[in-house]
Amino acid sequence: DIQMTQSPSLLSASVGDRVTINCKASQNINKYLNWYQQKLGEAPKLLIYNTNNLQTGIPSRFSGSGSGTDYTLTISSLQPEDFGTYFCFQHNSWYTFGAGTKLELK
Amino acid sequence: QVTLKESGPGILQPSHTLSLTCSFSGFSLSTYGMGVSWIRQPSGKGLEWLASIWWNGNTYNNPSLKSRLTVSKDTSNNQAFLKVTSVDTADTATYYCAHTRHTMGITTHFDYWGQGVMVTVSS
């Protein structure tokens, strides 16, 4: 099984900050990495698929990068509606989610 | 537009079989490249993929739960189903169904989600 390790698990930031969330796979996942945002009481929302492809309707302040085992989600300028929990997800070999990063207001 | 909605029993007893239905609109599970997946989330915890079914009838189950899961579909009525046998308290979670599509060589997983249905296993 491929394990996905997200860091940090908790991130405190302010509106306007540049934020990065990391995800490390236990083996090469060939850029088959998605990012989801989940707000309290809601279903997750797809932000980015296959490392760096922005899902339709997602603001351009969200971006993704990475290769091999290491991947990053970047929010260039944090907005109030961006607070929530972020999950990475690999679909190179079966499907595995990371444990999540809670992004909270500092 | 694509919408999905899960339905289920709410509460059931240990050792029983959990049956969930995903009713959807905006796509057909008989159309090439379309799929529906099931994902669950215990309260306050992370996400776990359970199973997927595709337009061609192919199904894939999480290996850690494989023998307990059955996924199926009713194309005519735009529904997908998940059965989980021999449930115990560890199966208590919110269960989601989500749309996946495979087009032009790219698979976009879980681009639309249902609102989720909470399932409690308790005696």
Side-chain angles (χ1 to χ4, degrees):
Chain A
D1 292 8
I2 297 179
Q3 309 303 316
M4 305 299 293
T5 303
Q6 270 186 253
S7 61
S9 56
L10 177 63
L11 181 57
S12 299
S14 302
V15 172
D17 284 353
R18 180 181 180 87
V19 164
T20 59
I21 297 171
N22 302 297
C23 195
K24 187 174 184 66
S26 58
Q27 63 191 70
N28 181 6
I29 57 171
N30 297 300
K31 296 193 172 186
Y32 290 114
L33 190 286
N34 295 359
W35 291 97
Y36 299 85
Q37 175 198 63
Q38 187 177 32
K39 297 183 181 180
L40 198 62
E42 297 183 6
K45 178 196 296 186
L46 175 63
L47 301 175
I48 288 172
Y49 62 95
N50 295 349
T51 296
N52 55 9
N53 295 277
L54 201 63
Q55 174 68 353
T56 303
I58 301 302
S60 59
R61 63 181 180 273
F62 290 92
S63 64
S65 62
S67 64
T69 61
D70 296 296
Y71 298 84
T72 299
L73 172 70
T74 300
I75 309 172
S76 59
S77 178
L78 203 58
Q79 297 302 300
E81 60 268 28
D82 298 337
F83 293 98
T85 302
Y86 291 80
F87 295 94
C88 62
F89 166 78
Q90 71 82 20
H91 54 103
N92 179 70
S93 174
W94 295 105
Y95 305 147
T96 318
F97 288 91
T101 294
K102 184 176 181 180
L103 177 56
E104 67 173 21
L105 182 63
K106 184 186 287 183
Chain B
Q1 82 274 21
V2 173
T3 65
L4 306 100
K5 186 174 183 180
E6 308 85 352
S7 58
I11 187 167
L12 74 164
Q13 294 182 337
S15 80
H16 287 204
T17 295
L18 170 62
S19 295
L20 297 170
T21 298
C22 176
S23 301
F24 55 84
S25 64
F27 69 99
S28 172
L29 258 181
S30 62
T31 299
Y32 176 87
M34 297 296 111
V36 168
S37 297
W38 290 92
I39 299 120
R40 71 180 178 183
Q41 184 175 35
S43 181
K45 297 189 178 179
L47 299 159
E48 179 181 32
W49 169 74
L50 298 176
S52 299
I53 186 164
W54 290 92
W55 82 99
N56 56 7
N58 287 350
T59 61
Y60 300 92
N61 293 349
N62 187 320
S64 67
L65 292 158
K66 188 174 182 178
S67 62
R68 298 178 53 213
L69 301 177
T70 303
V71 61
S72 59
K73 62 185 173 93
D74 179 349
T75 302
S76 300
N77 289 304
N78 284 343
Q79 291 180 318
F81 310 99
L82 177 71
K83 290 189 187 298
V84 184
T85 60
S86 304
V87 297
D88 67 14
T89 56
D91 296 307
T92 294
T94 296
Y95 286 73
Y96 296 99
C97 61
H99 172 263
T100 294
R101 59 185 170 86
H102 179 79
T103 54
M104 300 180 66
I106 295 173
T107 303
T108 307
H109 290 280
F110 320 150
D111 51 354
Y112 297 93
W113 294 63
Q115 63 190 26
V117 61
M118 192 160 179
V119 174
T120 301
V121 178
S122 175
S123 55

